[in-house]
Amino acid sequence: MEFNEFFVSGMRLLAAGLAMVGTIGAGLGIGLAGSGAVQGIARNPDAAGTIQVNMILAAAFAEAVAIYSLLVALVLVFAAG
Amino acid sequence: MAEVAEVKGKRRVGFKRWLILGFIILEIILAGLYPPIPPAVELAAEPLTDTVSIPILGDVALTNTILTVFIADILLILAAIAVYRAYQGGGLQAPRGIAGVFEMIVEAMYNLVQSVAGSKWARTFFPLVGTILILVLTVNFMKLLPGMESIGFVHEIHEGEGYDLQAFGPVSILAEPAEGETGHYNIIPWFRPASTDLNFTLSIALVAMISVQIIGLRAGGIGYFEKFANFRNFIKMWAREKLGAFDILMPFIDIFIGILELIAEFARIISFTFRLFGSMFAGAVLLGVVGSLFLFVQTGFLFLEIFFGGVQAFVFAMLTLVFLTMATQTHGGGGHEEPHEAH
C-alpha cells in the first residue's frame, strides 16, 4: 500500500511523541526512589552515603526506560527515513 | 600591611576571568556573523577513510568514534605515565596535580568496591571496575570539548537537506541555506564522542558481562552454570518412590527459572549498551539543537551533560560491580535448596 509522503512523515513525528509517553513510568520510578532515599536519610543521616549510592543505582535503572523511549523517538525523528 | 592587602586584592581580579569575558564577547560577535546551524544527526559512526578488507574482521574503516577512543586512550596512557612519574620519587608527601586527582578517584572507587564486594574480592574486581569508570568518564567528558562533531570533511550530498558553504578565511563553514532553497553540503566530523557509537558501548558491555561469567565460574566452580540449567530436582524426581504434585512441579519451575536467568544475562548486555548509548547520544543531539536555537542556554546544558556523563560512567561501573558481586554470592551456598522447604 502506498501512502502520501507527508502522511508518513507526520505519522513518524506523532509516533516519536507517543514514544515519549514511556517516560511517565521512569519519572514515577525516580520520584519514588528519591522520596524513599530522602526519608531514609532523614531517619538515619549517618547512612546517607550508602543510601545515596543505592538511590543513584535505582534511579539509573528507572532512567534507562526513559532513555530507551528517548532513543526510539530520536531514531524516529532523525534516522528512520 | 596595606601593601599585602593590595597585592591580595590585585590577585583576586585575575587574568583568567577577563579571558572568559573575552571569549563570551567573541562568541556573541561570531554567532551574530555566522549563525549556528542545527547538527546533522547520524546514528551510525561515519567512516573517515576508505574501507579496507581484513581477512577475519571483514571490511574495516577508521570511523570518527574510533579516532576519539584512540585519543582518549592516549590521554589516559599519558596520565598514567604522569601519575607514575609523580610517585617515582617515593616519600609520603601529599600528591599534587594530576596525581592527586587520580589518587582521589582511585581511593574513592576502591573504598566503594570494598564496601560492595567485600575485601575478599575487592582486589580482583577493582581493576576492571576502575578501568570502566575512568575510560567511560574520559570518553563522556570528551564530548564537551570544542571541535567535537563540528570540525571535519565537507562532502556533497545528493538527496535530503543539507547546508550551504560559506567562506571563512582559509576554511569554509556550513551555513543555513537561503529561504526556499536546499543546500547540498554536509559535514563528516573528524571527532565524535565515542559513547554515541553503539559499538563502543556494546564492546564494554560484553567485556563486563563476560567477566561476570568468568568470575562466577571462579567463585562457584562448575556449579555456577546450575543457575542457568538446574536439573537437580529433576534428577531427584526419578529417584523418588512416591510423587506429590509439588515434586513434579518444582523441577519444571527450576528449569524455567534457569531459562529466565539466561535471558536476564542477555538483557543485561542490551540494557548496559543502550543505557550509555542512549544517554550520550541524546545528550549530543540536545547540545547541538539547543546550541543552534538559543545562544547562551547551551552553557547550562553543558553543565547538565557534565553531570550526566559522570552519572552514566558511575552507573556503568557500579552495575558491573554489583553483577560481579552477585555472581560470586548466588552460588556460594546455592546447593542447599531443599525441596522440603518449598512445601
Side-chain angles (χ1 to χ4, degrees):
Chain A
M1 201 161 21
E2 277 293 307
F3 283 119
N4 188 339
E5 181 193 341
F6 300 110
F7 177 75
V8 169
S9 58
M11 281 314 238
R12 217 172 67 212
L13 293 178
L14 192 63
L18 281 177
M20 289 309 285
V21 172
T23 52
I24 291 174
L28 281 175
I30 293 176
L32 278 175
S35 121
V38 168
Q39 279 177 11
I41 291 172
R43 254 180 224 189
N44 185 4
D46 289 338
T50 325
I51 291 173
Q52 223 160 27
V53 169
N54 286 319
M55 184 198 78
I56 291 173
L57 269 184
F61 274 123
E63 191 201 45
V65 179
I67 290 171
Y68 299 155
S69 50
L70 180 62
L71 201 67
V72 170
L74 282 176
V75 167
L76 279 170
V77 173
F78 291 112
Chain B
M1 208 54 196
E3 259 186 26
V4 172
E6 203 180 339
V7 166
K8 271 189 177 170
K10 256 186 189 170
R11 198 176 285 165
R12 215 174 269 166
V13 187
F15 171 66
K16 284 173 185 166
R17 66 182 62 186
W18 295 108
L19 205 66
I20 292 171
L21 190 67
F23 274 125
I24 291 174
I25 293 170
L26 197 70
E27 186 194 353
I28 295 172
I29 294 169
L30 275 181
L33 285 178
Y34 301 96
I37 53 167
V41 177
E42 283 286 337
L43 206 57
E46 298 101 326
L48 293 176
T49 57
D50 296 331
T51 50
V52 182
S53 283
I54 295 176
I56 302 167
L57 298 172
D59 290 343
V60 180
L62 183 72
T63 58
N64 43 16
T65 47
I66 294 181
L67 196 60
T68 318
V69 176
F70 284 156
I71 291 171
D73 287 345
I74 290 167
L75 283 178
L76 284 177
I77 290 169
L78 287 180
I81 292 171
V83 172
Y84 179 72
R85 282 268 176 81
Y87 282 96
Q88 193 74 339
L92 291 168
Q93 79 276 27
R96 295 167 63 187
I98 192 166
V101 173
F102 272 88
E103 183 169 311
M104 191 186 78
I105 295 175
V106 167
E107 200 179 345
M109 200 64 205
Y110 190 77
N111 286 337
L112 199 65
V113 171
Q114 209 165 24
S115 72
V116 174
S119 42
K120 187 188 164 195
W121 287 98
R123 287 186 73 85
T124 318
F125 294 169
F126 178 65
L128 179 72
V129 176
T131 307
I132 288 177
L133 178 83
I134 292 176
L135 177 64
V136 176
L137 199 67
T138 313
V139 164
N140 284 355
F141 281 175
M142 277 179 78
K143 181 170 73 178
L144 306 170
L145 295 178
M148 280 278 156
E149 288 193 286
S150 50
I151 303 174
F153 299 122
V154 167
H155 71 119
E156 207 170 340
I157 53 172
H158 301 292
E159 53 185 41
E161 290 173 28
Y163 303 104
D164 268 341
L165 277 185
Q166 201 174 347
F168 180 72
V171 295
S172 41
I173 61 170
L174 296 174
E176 199 79 52
E179 200 71 32
E181 288 177 33
T182 51
H184 295 288
Y185 295 96
N186 214 332
I187 192 172
I188 298 180
W190 287 335
F191 307 111
R192 177 173 152 173
S195 31
T196 61
D197 187 355
L198 261 178
N199 294 316
F200 175 75
T201 56
L202 179 65
S203 57
I204 297 184
L206 280 176
V207 167
M209 287 319 287
I210 291 172
S211 312
V212 168
Q213 311 309 323
I214 291 169
I215 290 291
L217 207 59
R218 252 177 73 179
I222 203 75
Y224 173 71
F225 290 116
E226 203 175 82
K227 193 170 102 181
F228 304 120
N230 193 348
F231 293 111
R232 193 181 288 264
N233 285 339
F234 201 72
I235 295 163
K236 266 185 192 164
M237 193 170 78
W238 299 117
R240 287 263 169 91
E241 297 280 314
K242 269 173 69 181
L243 285 174
F246 266 111
D247 295 332
I248 296 174
L249 199 60
M250 283 308 287
F252 289 103
I253 289 178
D254 281 349
I255 290 167
F256 184 65
I257 287 172
I259 294 170
L260 277 188
E261 287 277 348
L262 200 63
I263 294 170
E265 294 295 309
F266 285 101
R268 280 171 187 173
I269 296 177
I270 296 168
S271 147
F272 259 142
T273 309
F274 280 100
R275 183 181 299 115
L276 184 58
F277 169 72
S279 179
M280 290 301 116
F281 183 74
V285 172
L286 183 76
L287 281 183
V289 171
V290 167
S292 71
L293 287 182
F294 319 104
L295 205 48
F296 297 110
V297 183
Q298 201 199 20
T299 314
F301 281 91
L302 283 173
F303 284 116
L304 196 72
E305 285 309 312
I306 291 176
F307 174 71
F308 272 127
V311 164
Q312 289 300 329
F314 174 72
V315 161
F316 206 115
M318 271 306 285
L319 284 181
T320 312
L321 177 59
V322 169
F323 291 152
L324 283 169
T325 313
M326 272 162 62
T328 60
Q329 281 171 352
T330 36
H331 263 263
H336 296 289
E337 247 180 27
E338 295 293 285
H340 302 293
E341 289 172 22
H343 284 245

